[in-house]
Amino acid sequence: MQHWRIHIEGQVQGVGFRPTVARIATISGLGGRVYNTSTGVCIELLASVQDRDDFLGRLRTSLSPLAIVSSMTIQEIPVTDGARSGFQIIGSQSSQTKSAFISPDFGICKSCQSEVLDPNNRRYLYPFISCVNCGPRYSILEGIPYDRERSAMKSFAMCPVCLDEYENPQNGRFHSQTNSCHDCGMELSVFPEREGTPLQQGDLIDLAVSMLQDGKILAVKATSGFLLLADATAPSAILTLRERKRRPRKPLALMVADTHMLADYFLASDQEKEWMQSASRPIVLCKPKKTTDLSLSKTLIAPGLSLLGVCLPADPLMFLLAKKMGRPIISTSGNLHQSPVQSENADAIKNLYGIADAVLLHNREIHFAQDDSVGRVATASKKKIILRRSRGLAPTFWNVSDTPSEKCTLAMGADLKSSFALWEGKHVFVSQYLGNLESFETQLRYLQVLRGFLEITGKEPAQILVDRHPGYHSRRLATLLPTAEVLEVPHHEAHFAALLWEHSLLDTDEPVLGVVWDGLGFGNDGSLWGSEVFVFQEKNMAHLAGFEYFDMLLGDKMSKEPRLAALSLCHHADMDPAFLKRKFTNQEWSLYAKLLQKPSHAQTNSMGRIFDAVSSILDITDFNTFEGEAAMHLEQRAQQYIDANDWKCIPIYSHQPWTEGRISLSDLLVQILKDKSENVDQGLIAAKFHLTLVSIVRQIVETTEIRKVGFSGGVFQNALLVDLLTQVLGSSCRLLFHEQLSPNDENIALGQLAWMHIQEKSQTNKTNSYVFSDTR
C-alpha cells in the first residue's frame, strides 16, 4: 500500500465535500483522513495506485452539484501508523496562507423543504433548518478554513441529537457545520414585544403571516440581511411601503412559495425557472399572467414595466412565511433610502421600525450582509444576464488565471455599482455588490466588508488599483487602507479586460473587438466616455472608436433628467429644440438655453445618456427616479413592437461609416426627430434605434474583419440588445457576454486586476490606433 496526499482547491468547504470523501473511502475499505486547510481540502489516503484512481473516480461522480474542483495535486508521502486505522474526518489545519475559496450562501434544498413541512419530523416548522447542501456560508463566516467554530454558529452548541447526526457518517447531516434544531438555541423574536403570554416560535411565524394578510409591512431578518415584506396582492400595502421607503417608481421584487405558485402567477420560461430554483436563488425578471389577483397591484409593483422580479425563498424562514401566506409577497431590501441593507438587530429596530409595522428578528449574527442577486434571461438567445451579483453568487470568482499574481493586489472597483476584488497567487475573490458609494453609510459598509474580508483571508495588499476618475469615492477610500502602491486603471478598458478574463482570453493571440457602452467613465482624453470600441491584440488594448461628443449638462443632474440629455443632443445636432420647451419651466428653459451657449461644458459620448435622450424625445421618460429607468422603458417599447412584428422587416436608420475614431450621432438623431415629427409609432422608433445600434456594431465588425466580439457596460443589461446582436452577428462571430459577473460596473474591480495582468504581459507600449484592412 502507498500513502497519498491529495490536495484539492475550489468550492470544497461547506458543501459536504469531506463527508462524501469519508463515505466513499469507508465503503472502499481505504484508510486515511480528510481535513480542511486554509487553502482547500486535503485527503491523505492509504491505497494502491489503482484503488486511488478508483476512489477519485467515485468521488467525482458523487459530489454535490455545489462542489466545484478547480485544481488537484497528488503526491506520495511516507506511510504513518494513523493511516492504517480506518478513515476519519479530523480537525482543520490552519496556516498563514489562507486562499481557500469561500462558498456563497445556498438556498434551502428540497430535502430540508420536505422536512420542515413534515409534522412527524423533529425539525417541523424549524425556521433555521439546513444541511450539507444548503444554508448560510459566506454571510456567517468569521475565518478560513470554514468550520463551525469560525462562524456565527459557534454561539449555538449542538444538542445531543444534533451532535449525534453530525458525527454519524451515515447521516445526511454528517459534518454539517450549520446543523441545529429547535433545542440548539437559535430562535425568533418580534419587536415590539407582544403583551401577555410569551409567544412560542411557531406562533411568531403565524403572527407575521397574520400581519401581512392584514396589510401590514414587516421587516424580517433573512439569512444575509433584512427584507421588507408586504402582501403583493394588496395595493394599499404597496402604496404604504413605497411612501415610507421613499421609493416612488423603482420596481419591487416578489417572492412566491414554490414553482406551483410561480406557475399560477407567471409565464416563466424553463431557463428562468431553472435559475430561480438554483442554489443561488436569485430574483429573476419574468412575465406575469394577465388575470390573477396580482393584476390590480402590477402597476404599483413595477410602474410602466411588463416584467416583474420574482424569486423563490432562499432560506427556511422565508419559505415558511411564503407557504403560510399562500400568495405572492413583496420582498425588497430592508434598508433606508440610498443606504445599505440592514443586518444588525439594533440597527434594524432603529431604522426599519416605522417603515415596517413590526420587526421579526433572530439571534444569529450576520457577518457579511448581502442583497439578493438579480438576473434576467434574454428571450430569443436564452442568455443569462446578471443584473446584481450578491447573495448566492459572491464572493468567489471561478475563472482563475493560469498565471499566479506575484503580489497580493486589491482592486477598489467603481462607485455606482461598487465591489472590490482581491488576487493573490492563483486565487481571485470578487465581493458582492456593495451599492452606490455616494452614500456615506454605503462607504462605511464597503470598508467594513473589505476590512473583514482582508482579516479572514489574512491578506495584506501590496498593490491597490483604482479607477482613473478623480472624483470616485472608491479611489479616496484606498487612502484609508495600509500603505501600498496605488495604480490608476482606465474605466472602459477595465470593463473590456473583465470580459476577456471571464472568457480566458487575456493571453490570446487573436484580435478581439470590445464594445463597451455604459453611463459614463473617465476617458483617456479627459472626457467622459460611454460608447467605446476597443481592439485587444498581442497584449495591447487600443481604442478604435466612440460616438461623437456632446455637452454634459449640470453633471450628475443630467443622468437623473433625460430631458436634459435630449436638450443637449438636439443642440449637438443643430436641431431646433423648441418641441422640448414644454418639458421645462420658463425659468429653466431660459437658464439652460444660456448654458448651452457656453463652451466650458464637460464632454461626453455616454450611451446611457443617448438612451435617456431618445426616451425623452419619444415622451417616454423625462425624469429617472431610479438608475436606468428611461432605458428600461425604451427597451420595453422596442421589445413590444418587435414581438408584434418580424425584426427583420423593420428598417434601420442610415448611418455613415465611422471615421477618425468617431461614430456619427447627429445623423441618427436627425432621423429620429424626423420620425417623431411625422408621428411614427413610438415603438417603431424605439425598435429602429436598437436595430441601428446593432447595425453600427456589424459595420465595425465587417470593417475590421475581427470575428471575436465582446460586450460590456451597463447598457448590455438590455436583453433586447443582446438578442438582436446574437441574431444579427451570432452566425458569423463568436460573441462574448458576461456570464459570471454583471455587465455593469460591478465587473470593474475584476477588470482592474485583468488590466494589470495585461500590462505586465505586454511586450510593447500601449498605442491608440489599430491597423486593419479597410473593406469599405
Side-chain angles (χ1 to χ4, degrees):
M1 287 287 183
Q2 295 160 278
H3 199 193
W4 308 97
R5 178 177 288 130
I6 305 167
H7 187 257
I8 297 174
E9 297 180 2
Q11 187 169 287
V12 289
Q13 294 187 14
V15 293
F17 191 89
R18 290 177 301 161
T20 302
V21 167
R23 276 195 290 270
I24 293 174
T26 301
I27 292 170
S28 303
L30 303 176
R33 57 186 188 171
V34 61
Y35 50 91
N36 280 338
T37 73
S38 299
T39 57
V41 170
C42 191
I43 306 169
E44 294 181 7
L45 192 69
L46 192 65
S48 66
V49 173
Q50 181 64 51
D51 287 343
R52 180 203 67 191
D53 292 345
D54 288 345
F55 163 81
L56 291 174
R58 293 191 192 99
L59 180 62
R60 290 189 188 94
T61 59
S62 303
L63 290 176
S64 162
L66 303 177
I68 303 175
V69 175
S70 60
S71 68
M72 180 173 64
T73 59
I74 303 173
Q75 65 179 129
E76 188 172 0
I77 60 175
V79 177
T80 62
D81 292 337
R84 301 184 186 279
S85 57
F87 198 93
Q88 56 185 325
I89 298 176
I90 65 169
S92 297
Q93 308 294 305
S94 298
S95 65
Q96 287 188 334
T97 301
K98 296 181 179 180
S99 59
F101 284 85
I102 297 171
S103 297
D105 294 340
F106 299 123
I108 179 172
C109 67
K110 291 183 178 180
S111 176
C112 285
Q113 288 179 19
S114 298
E115 288 186 45
V116 81
L117 296 179
D118 181 1
N120 298 315
N121 191 284
R122 72 187 196 89
R123 290 186 174 85
Y124 177 55
L125 301 183
Y126 179 55
F128 309 104
I129 189 172
S130 66
C131 66
V132 294
N133 293 316
C134 68
R137 301 294 192 268
Y138 174 50
S139 63
I140 62 172
L141 194 65
E142 289 184 355
I144 295 174
Y146 170 72
D147 284 304
R148 193 180 185 101
E149 63 266 25
R150 280 179 288 273
S151 77
M153 292 301 299
K154 70 180 182 183
S155 302
F156 308 101
M158 281 183 278
C159 69
V161 180
C162 285
L163 185 59
D164 182 66
E165 292 174 334
Y166 180 85
E167 294 176 342
N168 181 1
Q170 306 307 315
N171 193 282
R173 290 186 169 83
F174 179 47
H175 271 265
S176 172
Q177 304 303 320
T178 56
N179 196 29
S180 66
C181 72
H182 292 285
D183 299 324
C184 294
M186 288 194 343
E187 57 185 23
L188 298 172
S189 60
V190 67
F191 179 89
E193 295 182 3
R194 293 322 193 238
E195 296 180 0
T197 305
L199 295 173
Q200 301 299 311
Q201 293 293 288
D203 296 333
L204 288 172
I205 294 175
D206 290 339
L207 171 66
V209 172
S210 176
M211 292 185 69
L212 290 173
Q213 291 173 339
D214 289 342
K216 303 296 184 183
I217 297 166
L218 285 182
V220 180
K221 189 177 185 180
T223 294
S224 55
F226 279 82
L227 295 170
L228 289 168
L229 308 185
D231 184 350
T233 67
S236 60
I238 299 170
L239 286 171
T240 300
L241 175 59
R242 284 197 175 280
E243 181 180 353
R244 292 179 182 177
K245 200 167 187 267
R246 296 168 57 195
R247 189 170 176 168
R249 293 181 58 84
K250 187 176 182 180
L252 299 166
L254 298 172
M255 179 170 60
V256 294
D258 50 37
T259 53
H260 298 294
M261 189 183 294
L262 179 68
D264 289 340
Y265 287 90
F266 289 89
L267 298 169
S269 69
D270 291 341
Q271 291 82 7
E272 290 165 345
K273 286 186 286 187
E274 180 183 3
W275 203 1
M276 270 187 272
Q277 293 180 81
S278 69
S280 58
R281 291 292 199 283
I283 297 167
V284 178
L285 273 57
C286 294
K287 188 174 183 179
K289 290 184 173 179
K290 291 184 178 179
T291 54
T292 68
D293 50 2
L294 276 180
S295 300
L296 293 176
S297 304
K298 180 186 172 301
T299 56
L300 299 175
I301 295 169
L305 297 173
S306 60
L307 301 180
L308 302 182
V310 60
C311 66
L312 296 174
D315 65 50
L317 175 57
M318 292 298 158
F319 177 69
L320 289 171
L321 290 171
K323 273 290 189 182
K324 285 178 173 285
M325 186 67 178
R327 53 184 182 264
I329 300 173
I330 297 291
S331 175
T332 189
S333 295
N335 63 339
L336 298 176
H337 181 62
Q338 294 185 338
S339 295
V341 63
Q342 300 290 301
S343 60
E344 300 284 346
N345 288 355
D347 290 343
I349 291 172
K350 175 184 176 182
N351 297 320
L352 298 182
Y353 181 59
I355 296 177
D357 298 294
V359 185
L360 188 62
L361 312 157
H362 63 72
N363 60 340
R364 182 173 62 200
E365 293 183 357
I366 296 172
H367 295 146
F368 290 97
Q370 303 158 84
D371 292 280
D372 291 328
S373 293
V374 184
R376 65 186 303 191
V377 179
T379 305
S381 63
K382 310 302 182 187
K383 293 185 181 299
K384 291 181 180 179
I385 305 170
I386 297 174
L387 305 179
R388 184 167 72 198
R389 178 182 177 273
S390 197
R391 180 198 45 75
L393 297 175
T396 300
F397 177 78
W398 284 112
N399 193 346
V400 183
S401 171
D402 292 331
T403 305
S405 173
E406 296 180 358
K407 52 188 172 183
C408 182
T409 302
L410 170 66
M412 299 295 286
D415 259 31
L416 192 58
K417 301 285 187 181
S418 66
S419 67
F420 62 82
L422 197 64
W423 184 12
E424 184 178 55
K426 290 188 177 182
H427 300 276
V428 176
F429 301 94
V430 181
S431 79
Q432 70 269 33
Y433 158 86
L434 291 167
N436 182 354
L437 292 181
E438 287 185 356
S439 158
F440 178 67
E441 291 80 4
T442 306
Q443 293 174 31
L444 292 179
R445 173 62 59 81
Y446 179 102
L447 284 173
Q448 175 192 2
V449 174
L450 174 55
R451 285 169 171 158
F453 204 86
L454 293 175
E455 182 178 348
I456 66 171
T457 59
K459 307 296 185 188
E460 293 185 8
Q463 183 172 247
I464 299 178
L465 307 179
V466 298
D467 192 278
R468 185 170 286 178
H469 195 301
Y472 270 11
H473 298 285
S474 55
R475 180 187 178 108
R476 179 183 59 80
L477 293 177
T479 64
L480 303 178
L481 299 171
T483 304
E485 179 186 14
V486 177
L487 299 178
E488 294 181 344
V489 179
H491 185 90
H492 295 89
E493 292 184 22
H495 264 304
F496 188 22
L499 187 69
L500 292 169
W501 190 329
E502 274 202 62
H503 290 274
S504 302
L505 292 172
L506 288 177
D507 299 312
T508 183
D509 293 326
E510 298 179 45
V512 184
L513 197 67
V515 181
V516 183
W517 291 350
D518 64 359
L520 60 83
F522 201 72
N524 295 353
D525 61 359
S527 299
L528 299 171
W529 285 2
S531 56
E532 314 313 314
V533 182
F534 297 91
V535 172
F536 178 68
Q537 187 175 29
E538 296 179 351
K539 310 296 186 297
N540 195 22
M541 193 177 289
H543 186 262
L544 183 63
F547 274 72
E548 295 170 345
Y549 288 133
F550 51 92
D551 291 335
M552 184 76 179
L553 290 179
L554 301 173
D556 288 342
K557 185 178 177 67
M558 187 163 158
S559 67
K560 296 179 174 64
E561 299 186 18
R563 62 180 188 156
L564 290 177
L567 183 61
S568 178
L569 262 67
C570 283
H571 175 75
H572 168 79
D574 291 327
M575 299 293 294
D576 182 1
F579 74 98
L580 296 172
K581 188 174 181 179
R582 58 189 168 78
K583 298 177 183 287
F584 300 88
T585 66
N586 289 334
Q587 185 178 10
E588 287 174 332
W589 187 253
S590 177
L591 173 63
Y592 296 151
K594 292 177 181 177
L595 282 175
L596 284 169
Q597 301 309 313
K598 296 182 177 180
S600 58
H601 301 293
Q603 296 295 293
T604 186
N605 60 0
S606 162
M607 183 59 73
R609 301 297 74 78
I610 295 172
F611 267 81
D612 283 353
V614 175
S615 184
S616 179
I617 287 168
L618 298 184
D619 297 321
I620 297 173
T621 310
D622 288 328
F623 295 89
N624 284 327
T625 62
F626 60 91
E627 185 196 0
E629 182 176 5
M632 291 171 66
H633 286 284
L634 185 64
E635 176 194 353
Q636 179 172 285
R637 295 293 199 285
Q639 183 72 67
Q640 289 169 341
Y641 190 89
I642 287 173
D643 286 344
N645 301 272
D646 185 353
W647 67 268
K648 295 178 182 178
C649 298
I650 299 173
I652 64 169
Y653 294 117
S654 62
H655 52 88
Q656 298 297 318
W658 51 275
T659 57
E660 298 182 354
R662 288 291 149 215
I663 302 166
S664 175
L665 180 57
S666 301
D667 290 346
L668 175 60
L669 190 65
V670 166
Q671 294 171 85
I672 290 174
L673 291 172
K674 182 175 183 294
D675 275 356
K676 164 73 174 175
S677 68
E678 295 176 355
N679 295 316
V680 172
D681 183 271
Q682 187 186 70
L684 174 56
I685 299 175
K688 290 170 70 175
F689 170 68
H690 279 76
L691 281 161
T692 303
L693 294 179
V694 173
S695 179
I696 289 170
V697 174
R698 178 172 63 180
Q699 183 186 73
I700 294 173
V701 169
E702 291 173 348
T703 303
T704 61
E705 299 182 339
I706 297 174
R707 290 296 179 263
K708 284 184 180 175
V709 191
F711 304 91
S712 188
V715 169
F716 294 105
Q717 295 176 134
N718 183 319
L720 174 59
L721 204 53
V722 170
D723 275 344
L724 292 174
L725 286 164
T726 303
Q727 290 164 323
V728 172
L729 294 171
S731 61
S732 60
C733 299
R734 178 187 170 190
L735 303 185
L736 313 172
F737 296 97
H738 287 284
E739 296 174 355
Q740 299 183 66
L741 300 173
S742 172
N744 66 36
D745 278 6
E746 289 177 43
N747 71 54
I748 289 292
L750 181 79
Q752 290 166 345
L753 297 179
W755 182 89
M756 180 196 68
H757 174 84
I758 292 169
Q759 304 311 303
E760 292 176 347
K761 289 288 185 180
S762 177
Q763 300 300 311
T764 59
N765 293 328
K766 290 167 63 67
T767 62
N768 292 315
S769 61
Y770 171 70
V771 178
F772 59 90
S773 57
D774 191 337
T775 58
R776 289 172 289 175

